């Protein structure tokens, strides 16, 4: 299918207001008379609550209400377990406001509602909570021991879930292997840290009984359902809108954060709008985090480096609660063999409670951890066998003729088989080898060493299961007055350019300019069948739903136009917002006219509408104006439900210079080859990849959420949690490879998370390669800081 | 559900206030404010200029950047009362009076230098003041990245923002610019 | 993260400022606010009164004399950074300032404010130590000068009395035949340094080192002079061996404990590297100065 807009670098349609500062982020939305929320949060990682005294706060000027768990009525519940799983034998979820116990520093204990945020914060300081602190264990391997202090008293060894998956016959593979490589790797906790913290505002109309909630969520439909259910309201009385949202990266797809329930509740209770604008400190101690995993991985290989089998046992830190289930660990475990055939796999994990901020997906969702583990292992295998690391990869990559490649026995996070649908893995590796100029680099590396400079080549290959179901839908209507195309989906956008790429898809079928396509999503009042924005699925699932709905509308347009122009449908062209017989553009009907004409009218509202009225020349007088089974207007709704995930992939390489005097590193070149199937808008794809790479560099070299031994956050601010500025992120060259996915009509795969997945491996392998002459110990822990590089070089070395 | 009587809520009696007069986007403004009101909150909620965003309130992310007496300043690290007599320009004051985009705004759009748009006003103010301070700016990769350092972006990875700075300079110095 | 309530006064003279400070013990001086206001927003600091000295014109002067540069307490860092007269008189200051935070912070922050704040990792206190500068202070009982070596007591603590306020910072001009250098290592551009070294090296007619002043930030509970490192240089030739000895001696000045971002051993390594590099650069610049 050759298309006009698909694949084009169409400039974004969302920018005009954003560059003017006219976006509508939640705190920008004027809410007359709104009250503001602040929380009293636990200062202890684990403690009994002995008493709470709110009296002074309640009496303070400017305070409207103070809530503890005793003031919540039907909201004093354990919040829903979102994704149950048979292996999740000890699910524990959070309460909106703590009752009897607190489980992490930052957990919400008391909610204050006041005239403004300044006053609300003042009031929180008047609230006296008496705690009895309990012992804690933050270290994962120690936390699973029999004698470790328990986060939840009835959960032995702090293990929430224990899951083993097998594909093929791993025991057999290990028995016949010539060589076994063992490695232990660790990835540390990070956080999404979107520039806009979370925010919720609510207004209850007691006359209509309607609850309006603005929530910076990636899942407005899911939030709506939960709110209706928990508050005991009809779903159609609850409207959730995600307006402009300043980044999500997974942190905002979780439900429910306490404020998402409490703010609407307070609005209903107090009869005034209520808003909660999370501050940065709260984002660090109250909003979800991710990444901590410790993998012990073994590869069973032939002496030629062909990997027959893989065993991986890992600990996954799930924080104080596990409402999101085992999704991240499951994604990690099913991505553990990466792009390699590895026909026999055994992967086992334990999800472990620690008294810390709960874990939910952060861009990558377990894939960065899995990629780090397998790629470090492949490098180690290459080293032990004396093979080149490109060559070892070449020998193991899934071959073009192997697709579709199924890993029998592994179920992905969507509950469906792991089946890699398509790809050209070998070609991608060739492309990066050529782009980086391996021979040239080898010479450059040697020359540098002679000068006492240390250059290294980092390399990391990743796979990314994308486009999860269960489904998404799209509704499209062409409006009769303006002729513009209105598209709705059940997603919400946090900057990914949905309004542009979905417009491109619709524009192709309907022959309009993308700027005449208006995408409205993130509003349960506009469309409320769907799931959410996460897991690199928007282009695949909503994109194809938009495509399918657009095909239906196209058919309606052609049908109606063929009547109006008295021409055969096959002879018609849709272009420039009009329909005309091919070669006769001057005799055209506009989409507005077609839309008007396809709606039998009694009352004309403009000149064009007159032709649709009951006595107009073209009107029929011999039966119902609207035939049985027909619908007025140009409108359709359709859905797309993927058969299983579509697997994108790619490979990154970087030339890194390490200064052993400072143990600092500098990127000399960063190259990325990626394949996300057919690209709808290459500019937007590159933006997603570049943003992912920047977060990847954060996770590889800078960002670690730190807790001390008592569970106190040590760097809950931007000064001490180091997110990279422009000076810390290199320029990246992005090379595209497009292997269409056979799984969906558009041939697309997701790309939202791609950039961040292999970066930890790229940095670790690059630094290791650079400092090989200095005898550096293996680098198997990210983020890799200069301090760690120093230690790996031997520590106390005299220069 | 109990319906409560609509409450009138008093401010705290010991909340010191002061009158402050300043110029914002060319308009003279006088307001009586709490002495602890941050300039960022003053602009957003007192004046309704919500284009200036708040990302951290401790001076690291740059989302709150405005032009204060001609120089970039973090409005979250300034009290409104400190701006007595000051001349402030926010993102809302950047486009031309005919609402034509400033070359920096135009360049950000052309170069896909924004995604969620939350950090964008802060970046644009930083870049606008950068050009106003530097007649002949060094536009090498390193120099531009250093000029952008001090503003965080979580979406774009900065590459297109660097491009936008170059493109903005092009628009401002060639016939392409207005 | 909103600040707590405080009273706020805007004195228009040094006398009034000093009087306000003396009258309210639980007060703090507000100059640029770039260090103070984050502590208020985090509610780590909770003073009863803020004394905003930004309206005091007498504090806004820069005077570049033959032997000394005097910078009033309300002079913004960026203003000093761009001042060509200051740069000619002592180029070290601009070099150090370019490493202080980001330009946007330097637009508001003041030289005196950073010195009064006395963060152990801050660059300007180290610069003051290396140059042998001083601060002028005023109190209700009068004025005095505190030499840099006497000023810094502990992290975030100077030996200013409660009723004293800095009115100016004095920095000696660069001596003849003297080279300068400042280098630091920070995790990100603009961050506080894990370690920073300031070096001033003077050569005699024979090209040997007649004077060396070295200081460091980020490695102890205050900015510190590197006495042992200086001792390795005096009188002798500034060759690689001498520089290496000096750098090695500088390691012992590291007294900070192991931290997440930097173990003590790693900091010593940084100090060694940075001392070498600053000495090498300072020496080269000194030779250039000698030659011209």
């Amino acid at each position: 299918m050759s298309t006009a807009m698909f694949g084009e670098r169409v400039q974004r349609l969302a920018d005009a207001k954003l560059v003017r500062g006219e976006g509508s982020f939640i705190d920008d939305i004027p809410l007359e008379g709104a009250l503001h929320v602040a929380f009293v949060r636990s200062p202890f990682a684990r403690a009994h609550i002995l008493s709470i005294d709110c009296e002074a706060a309640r009496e303070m000027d400017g305070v409207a209400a103070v809530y503890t768990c005793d003031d919540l009525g039907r909201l004093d519940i354990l919040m829903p377990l979102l994704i149950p799983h048979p292996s999740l034998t000890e699910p524990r979820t959070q309460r909106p406001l703590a009752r009897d116990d607190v489980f992490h520093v930052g957990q919400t204990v008391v909610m204050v509602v006041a005239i403004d945020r300044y006053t609300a914060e003042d009031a929180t300081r008047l609230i006296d909570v008496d705690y009895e602190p309990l012992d804690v264990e933050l270290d994962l391997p120690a936390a699973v021991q029999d004698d470790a202090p328990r986060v939840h008293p009835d959960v032995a060894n702090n293990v929430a879930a224990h899951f083993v998956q097998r594909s093929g016959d791993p025991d057999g593979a290990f028995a016949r292997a010539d060589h076994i490589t063992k490695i232990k790797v660790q990835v540390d906790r990070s956080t999404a840290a979107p520039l806009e913290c979370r925010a919720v505002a609510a207004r209850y109309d007691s006359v209509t009984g309607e609850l309006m909630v603005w929530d910076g969520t990636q899942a407005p439909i899911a939030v709506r359902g939960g709110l209706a259910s928990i508050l005991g309201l009809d779903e159609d009385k609850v409207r959730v809108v995600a307006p402009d949202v300043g980044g999500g990266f997974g942190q905002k797809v979780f439900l429910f954060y306490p404020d998402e329930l409490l703010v609407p509740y307070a609005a209903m209770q107090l009869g005034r709008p209520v808003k909660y604008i999370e501050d940065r400190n709260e984002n660090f101690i109250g909003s979800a985090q991710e990444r901590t995993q410790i993998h012990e991985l073994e590869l069973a290989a032939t002496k030629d480096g062909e990997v027959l089998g893989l065993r991986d046992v890992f600990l996954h830190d799930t924080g104080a609660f596990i409402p999101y289930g085992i999704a991240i660990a499951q994604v990690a475990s099913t991505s553990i063999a990466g792009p390699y055939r590895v026909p026999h796999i055994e992967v086992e994990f334990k999800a472990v409670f620690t008294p810390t901020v709960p874990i939910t997906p952060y861009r990558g969702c377990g894939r960065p951890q899995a990629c780090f583990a397998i790629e470090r292992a492949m490098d180690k295998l290459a080293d032990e066998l004396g093979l080149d690391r490109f060559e070892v990869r070449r020998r193991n990559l899934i071959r073009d003729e192997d697709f579709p490649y199924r890993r029998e026995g592994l179920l992905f996070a969507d509950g469906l088989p792991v089946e890699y649908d398509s790809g050209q893995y070998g070609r991608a590796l060739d492309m990066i080898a050529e782009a980086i100029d391996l021979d040239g680099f080898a010479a450059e590396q040697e020359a540098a060493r002679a000068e006492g400079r240390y250059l290294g080549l980092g390399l990391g290959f990743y796979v990314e299961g994308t486009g999860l179901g269960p489904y998404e839908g799209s509704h499209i209507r062409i409006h009769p007055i303006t002729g513009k195309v209105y598209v709705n989906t059940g997603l919400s956008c946090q900057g990914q350019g949905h309004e542009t790429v979905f417009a491109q898809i619709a524009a192709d079928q309907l022959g309009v300019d993308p700027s005449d396509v208006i995408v409205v999503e993130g509003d349960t009042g506009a469309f409320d069948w769907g799931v959410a924005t996460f897991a690199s699925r928007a282009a695949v699932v909503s994109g194809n739903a938009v495509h399918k709905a657009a095909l239906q509308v196209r058919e309606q347009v052609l049908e109606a136009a063929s009547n109006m122009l008295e021409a055969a449908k096959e002879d018609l062209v849709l272009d420039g917002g009009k329909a005309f017989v091919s070669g006769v553009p001057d005799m055209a009907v506009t989409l507005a006219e077609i839309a008007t004409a396809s709606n039998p009218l009694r009352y004309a509202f403009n000149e064009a509408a007159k032709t649709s009225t009951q006595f107009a020349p073209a009107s029929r007088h011999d039966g119902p104006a609207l035939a049985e089974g027909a619908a007025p207007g140009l409108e359709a709704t359709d859905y797309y439900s993927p058969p299983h995930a579509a697997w994108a992939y790619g490979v990154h390489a970087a030339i890194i210079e390490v200064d052993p005097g400072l143990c600092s590193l500098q990127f000399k070149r960063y190259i990325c080859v990626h394949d996300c199937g057919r690209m709808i808008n290459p500019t937007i794809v590159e933006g997603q990849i570049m943003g992912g790479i920047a977060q990847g560099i954060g996770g590889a070299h800078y960002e670690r959420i730190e807790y001390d031994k008592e569970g106190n956050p040590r760097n809950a601010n931007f000064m001490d949690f180091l997110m990279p500025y422009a000076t810390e992120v290199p320029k990246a060259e992005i090379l595209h490879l497009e292997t269409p996915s056979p799984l969906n009509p558009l041939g697309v795969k997701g790309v939202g998370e791609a950039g961040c997945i292999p970066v930890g491996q790229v940095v670790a392998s690059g630094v290791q390669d650079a400092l090989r002459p200095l005898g550096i110990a293996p680098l198997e822990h990210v983020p890799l800081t200069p301090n760690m590089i120093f230690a790996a070089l031997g520590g106390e070395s005299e220069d | 559900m109990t319906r409560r009587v609509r409450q009138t809520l008093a401010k705290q009696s010991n909340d010191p206030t002061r009158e402050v007069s300043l110029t914002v986007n060319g308009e003279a403004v006088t307001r009586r404010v709490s002495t602890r009101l941050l300039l960022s909150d003053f602009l957003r909620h007192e004046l309704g200029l919500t284009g200036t965003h708040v990302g951290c309130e401790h001076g690291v992310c740059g989302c709150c950047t405005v032009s204060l007496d001609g120089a970039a300043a973090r409005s979250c690290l300034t009290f409104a009362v400190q701006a007595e007599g000051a001349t402030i320009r926010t993102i809302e004051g950047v486009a031309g009076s005919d609402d034509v985009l400033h070359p920096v705004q135009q360049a950000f759009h052309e170069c896909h230098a924004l995604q969620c748009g939350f950090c964008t006003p802060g970046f644009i103010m930083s870049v606008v003041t950068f050009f106003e301070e530097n007649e002949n700016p060094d536009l090498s990769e390193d120099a531009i990245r250093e000029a952008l350092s001090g503003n965080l972006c979580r979406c774009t990875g900065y590459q297109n923002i660097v491009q936008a700075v170059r493109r903005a300079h092009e628009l401002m110095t060639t016939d392409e610019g207005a | 993260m909103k600040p707590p309530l405080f009273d706020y006064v805007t004195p228009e003279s040094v006398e009034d400022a000093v009087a306000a400070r003396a009258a309210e013990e639980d007060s703090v001086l507000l100059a640029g606010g770039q260090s103070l206001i984050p502590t208020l927003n985090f509610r780590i600091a909770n003073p009863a009164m803020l004394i905003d000295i930004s309206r005091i014109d007498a504090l806004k002067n820069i005077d570049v004399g033959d032997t000394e540069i005097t910078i009033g307490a309300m002079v913004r860092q960026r203003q000093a950074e761009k001042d060509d007269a200051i740069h000619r008189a002592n180029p070290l200051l601009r070099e150090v300032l370019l490493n202080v935070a980001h330009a946007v912070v330097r637009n508001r922050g003041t030289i005196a404010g950073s010195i009064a704040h006395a963060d152990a990792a801050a660059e300007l206190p180290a610069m003051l130590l290396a140059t042998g500068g001083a601060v002028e202070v005023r109190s209700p009982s009068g004025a005095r000068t505190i030499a840099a070596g006497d000023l810094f007591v502990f992290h975030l603590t100077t030996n200013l009395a409660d009723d004293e306020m800095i009115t100016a910072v004095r920095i000696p001009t660069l001596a003849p035949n003297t080279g300068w250098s400042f280098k630091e290592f920070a995790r990100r551009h603009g961050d506080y340094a894990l370690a920073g070294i300031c070096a001033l090296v003077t050569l005699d007619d024979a090209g040997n080192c007649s004077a060396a002043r070295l200081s460091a930030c980020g490695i102890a509970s205050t900015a510190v002079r590197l006495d042992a490192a200086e001792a390795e240089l005096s009188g002798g030739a500034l060759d690689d061996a001498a520089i290496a000895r000096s750098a090695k001696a500088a390691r012992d000045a590291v007294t900070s404990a192991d931290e997440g971002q930097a173990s003590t051993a790693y900091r010593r390594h940084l100090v060694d590297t940075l001392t070498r590099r600053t000495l090498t650069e300072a020496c080269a610049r000194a030779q250039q100065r000698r030659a011209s």
Side-chain angles (χ1 to χ4, degrees), chain A residues 122 659-662 701 728, chain C residues 43 187 189 266 269 273 277:
Chain A
D122 292 344
D659 175 354
L662 301 174
H701 191 47
E728 285 71 57
Chain C
R43 299 203 181 201
R187 289 301 328 270
H189 185 266
Y266 172 56
H269 179 76
T273 302
R277 294 179 184 180

Side-chain angles (χ1 to χ4, degrees), chain A residues 118 121-122 125 279 281 659-662 664 701-702 717-719 722-723 725 727-728 786-787 790 796-799, chain C residues 1-3 5 42-43 102 185 187-189 191 248 251 259-263 265-266 269-270 272-274 276-277:
Chain A
Y118 291 69
E121 288 190 22
D122 292 344
R125 268 135 180 96
D279 69 34
N281 179 245
D659 175 354
L662 301 174
S664 61
H701 191 47
Y702 292 99
N717 63 72
F718 275 167
M719 290 184 276
L722 305 175
M723 273 158 57
Y725 289 116
T727 35
E728 285 71 57
N787 194 40
F790 176 72
E796 281 291 340
S797 56
E798 299 283 315
D799 289 323
Chain C
M1 282 164 42
K2 309 300 183 186
L5 290 165
F42 274 111
R43 299 203 181 201
H102 296 106
F185 179 63
R187 289 301 328 270
R188 295 176 300 184
H189 185 266
D191 281 351
K248 186 159 170 231
R251 293 168 152 255
E259 282 174 2
Q261 286 291 344
S263 65
Y266 172 56
H269 179 76
L270 286 177
D272 194 320
T273 302
L274 291 168
R276 274 183 218 234
R277 294 179 184 180

Side-chain angles (χ1 to χ4, degrees), chain A residues 593-653:
Chain A
E593 288 163 344
I594 302 171
T596 302
S598 54
N599 179 23
L601 290 174
R602 178 165 178 78
Y603 305 110
F605 49 79
N606 62 15
E607 204 54 43
K610 289 180 180 174
T611 59
S612 296
T613 55
Q614 52 262 285
F615 297 106
S619 64
R620 291 167 45 225
H621 306 283
D622 59 350
L626 199 63
E628 192 60 41
L634 301 171
E635 182 170 15
T637 299
D638 211 337
Y639 300 89
Y640 174 70
S641 186
H644 56 77
W647 287 75
Y649 66 96
V651 53
H652 294 196

Side-chain angles (χ1 to χ4, degrees), chain B residues 78-144:
Chain B
T78 315
F79 294 112
V81 292
Q82 285 179 283
E84 171 65 37
T87 301
I88 294 191
R89 216 155 101 236
T90 69
I91 184 69
E92 291 90 344
V94 164
S97 54
D98 44 1
D99 207 34
V100 171
L101 291 181
H102 187 287
V104 172
Q105 291 170 309
Q106 179 66 26
F108 267 64
H109 169 58
E110 285 180 18
C111 297
H112 187 37
L114 63 148
Q115 292 184 24
C116 79
F118 195 77
C119 73
T120 307
F123 265 101
I124 290 176
M125 294 316 296
S126 297
V127 174
V128 165
T129 51
F130 168 74
F131 281 124
E132 286 169 357
E133 285 177 16
N134 289 285
E135 258 192 44
N136 280 315
D138 178 355
L139 293 178
S140 65
E141 183 86 15
D142 284 347
I144 292 179

